Amino acid sequence: MNMQELAQYEKDGEYERLIAAVREAVAADRGVFADPWLKGWCGRRWRNIFISLAAEDEAAVATATAKLKLGRDSRPARQRIAERFLKGDALREWDVDMPEALAPPLAKTSMVFAPGLINGVLPVRAFTEEFPRVCKEHGWRILRADCHPMRSCEANMADIDAAVQSGHGEAPDNSRIDPADAEAPGDLFFMGYSKGVPDILTYLVHHPELRDRVRCVINWAGAVGGSYMADDIHENIREMPLESVTQRIDSVLHMIAPELRVEGTLRRMDEWDIKGAIEDLTTWKRAAFMEEHGEAFDALKIPVFNFTGATTVFEVPYFQMRDYMNLAKYDANNDMQVTTEQARVHSRLSVDVAMLRGHHWDLSYGPFPKLQRMGSPNLDHPFPRHAAVEAHFRFLAELGLID
């Protein structure tokens, strides 16, 4: 299919023909995602779906509504959503009238989710409310890989493999799946958050035989290029004796999330490898990984959809302000833990879908319990995560990547 012809469909507003033609092109060859126009279309289409879904979310619209001294916010709900939760050119896309993306039954394809560093240590878990909700509403299947909260990417391959090959891990609501009830997911797509994305990429380059089962990767605020924060923490701990690091877990976690209290929440203690986990998030280690494995990953022909976060110093918890300011020296568009550039997978089939307005925790975590907010604002996490998760499924199904 000639991409100029598809571009003309979009220009003429012939969206039904365009969507059908894109689906046909993707079915013929996933390599089509290397085309610059198609990359741009994917971003515009996902953002349109997200805006439509979030505009139906009363809480999201309330958050996006300006508090005016005189009168009421007269902007349409779609405009409020776009201007509050998206960044960049997307702010002007709210009035584009595209067809509704359907929520089809998906009997064949499951999502396997890989969480980030300190998974299970914070007072909340990623997408605890949103994953169960979309599964209940639509019958979609989501399997959480039980990735260790603090060890290397190579070590965490075992947790991802247990999910992919045997269905072992956690249910959408974070409850543990009884091994007797585990069911392998079959065809799948990955969604990774923070360190979960480097974990996924490490797993895929070591398991090229899965290329036909893995439809794509959703890179959600991934630490793909590492983090300058991790560089600083690694410098502080790299000379510590290993047993000393293990004994000082609380102080090391404090470097990652100041004011964090983790009494009684740690598990799999014999597998903790703080040095390995932090080193794998350094900028130099991630750069070395892509230098060594970038061509091998491209050869898998697995599309990657990049979602990055951007916030401001006034929108982060007070104890993360210093981290935001340090990252702002490199890029004002950062989410308080990684810059926009660090959050992108740069591969031939990678697509930059959206820059989202939210900080690193806001994009994935529900509100912290009020008594555990450590006296800080900006831990209510209002980003419309349900709309985003549902948009992923509808968008990928429309492309024909999942079925």
Side-chain angles (χ1 to χ4, degrees):
M1 179 65 69
N2 188 316
M3 289 298 155
Q4 289 184 339
E5 185 176 349
L6 300 191
Q8 189 62 46
Y9 288 163
E10 182 182 16
K11 184 177 180 180
D12 295 341
E14 296 187 51
Y15 292 114
E16 297 287 1
R17 293 182 68 183
L18 171 57
I19 290 167
V22 167
R23 185 184 180 95
E24 181 180 340
V26 171
D29 180 11
R30 290 193 300 188
V32 73
F33 287 105
D35 182 82
W37 177 85
L38 186 58
K39 292 177 189 284
W41 163 252
C42 287
R44 292 186 292 277
R45 182 53 173 155
W46 184 92
R47 294 190 296 266
N48 185 271
I49 297 169
F50 168 75
I51 291 170
S52 296
L53 292 171
E56 298 173 357
D57 182 336
E58 292 183 2
V61 173
T63 297
T65 299
K67 307 302 187 288
L68 304 176
K69 292 183 178 179
L70 298 174
R72 296 190 304 171
D73 189 340
S74 60
R75 295 174 300 162
R78 293 174 59 86
Q79 183 178 4
R80 298 183 212 178
I81 291 295
E83 293 179 354
R84 172 60 181 83
F85 295 114
L86 295 173
K87 299 271 286 185
D89 292 341
L91 300 182
R92 296 186 292 273
E93 297 176 350
W94 61 269
D95 62 345
V96 179
D97 186 18
M98 294 186 189
E100 178 187 4
L102 301 179
L106 299 169
K108 188 175 180 181
T109 317
S110 303
M111 176 204 283
V112 174
F113 177 72
L117 194 73
I118 60 176
N119 168 49
V121 175
L122 290 171
V124 291
R125 303 280 295 276
F127 301 103
T128 298
E129 295 182 0
E130 294 78 17
F131 283 174
R133 180 176 168 186
V134 297
C135 291
K136 180 179 180 181
E137 290 175 342
H138 304 297
W140 298 334
R141 186 180 182 203
I142 297 176
L143 173 63
R144 293 175 181 266
D146 185 21
C147 292
H148 191 276
M150 187 70 72
R151 64 177 182 174
S152 70
C153 294
E154 289 204 1
N156 271 356
M157 287 196 301
D159 295 327
I160 295 176
D161 197 57
V164 170
Q165 303 294 1
S166 305
H168 292 170
E170 296 181 333
D173 63 358
N174 297 118
S175 61
R176 301 204 180 286
I177 297 174
D178 188 310
D181 298 327
E183 180 182 351
D187 285 1
L188 61 102
F189 72 99
F190 280 112
M191 178 177 175
Y193 165 60
S194 197
K195 181 178 175 288
V197 183
D199 286 350
I200 290 169
L201 297 180
T202 303
Y203 178 73
L204 287 174
V205 298
H206 284 86
H207 291 276
E209 73 279 5
L210 296 175
R211 60 181 293 172
D212 293 331
R213 281 181 63 192
V214 179
R215 305 293 188 84
C216 65
V217 176
I218 296 288
N219 166 24
W220 189 258
V224 178
S227 169
Y228 297 117
M229 285 177 59
D231 290 352
D232 293 340
I233 295 170
H234 183 262
E235 183 66 24
N236 288 329
I237 69 172
R238 66 188 180 90
E239 299 299 334
M240 287 185 186
L242 186 59
E243 62 275 12
S244 176
V245 173
T246 303
Q247 291 167 0
R248 299 178 185 175
I249 285 175
D250 279 335
S251 61
V252 173
L253 290 175
H254 181 80
M255 298 180 196
I256 301 169
E259 309 300 327
L260 180 63
R261 297 291 180 268
V262 295
E263 294 180 10
T265 62
L266 305 181
R267 65 188 186 92
R268 296 171 65 179
M269 292 298 297
D270 58 330
E271 300 174 59
W272 277 60
D273 175 15
I274 296 177
K275 282 187 177 180
I278 298 300
E279 181 176 321
D280 270 1
L281 288 175
T282 59
T283 56
W284 58 267
K285 187 64 178 287
R286 300 298 350 129
F289 174 86
M290 292 307 295
E291 177 68 24
E292 180 178 358
H293 298 291
E295 289 187 6
F297 184 76
D298 277 346
L300 298 176
K301 294 184 72 172
I302 296 176
V304 178
F305 298 98
N306 294 324
F307 296 83
T308 65
T311 187
T312 70
V313 69
F314 301 109
E315 295 173 329
V316 303
Y318 76 83
F319 51 81
Q320 295 280 1
M321 285 182 170
R322 183 181 66 177
D323 295 318
Y324 170 84
M325 294 303 296
N326 286 340
L327 291 181
K329 297 174 185 177
Y330 303 94
D331 186 355
N333 286 322
N334 72 78
D335 67 9
M336 84 183 184
Q337 295 195 3
V338 293
T339 66
T340 296
E341 187 66 16
Q342 290 169 338
R344 288 174 173 152
V345 173
H346 293 282
S347 66
R348 194 171 69 89
L349 304 187
S350 66
V351 177
D352 294 337
V353 179
M355 183 187 297
L356 309 167
R357 182 177 167 188
H359 62 69
H360 198 71
W361 292 351
D362 182 15
L363 297 181
S364 295
Y365 297 137
F368 276 31
K370 291 185 177 180
L371 295 179
Q372 294 178 280
R373 295 187 185 182
M374 300 159 274
S376 180
N378 302 321
L379 287 170
D380 52 340
H381 303 160
F383 187 84
R385 291 171 297 279
H386 174 261
V389 172
E390 181 143 342
H392 293 337
F393 278 91
R394 294 188 185 215
F395 168 71
L396 297 179
E398 184 176 278
L399 289 174
L401 284 173
I402 60 176
D403 51 23

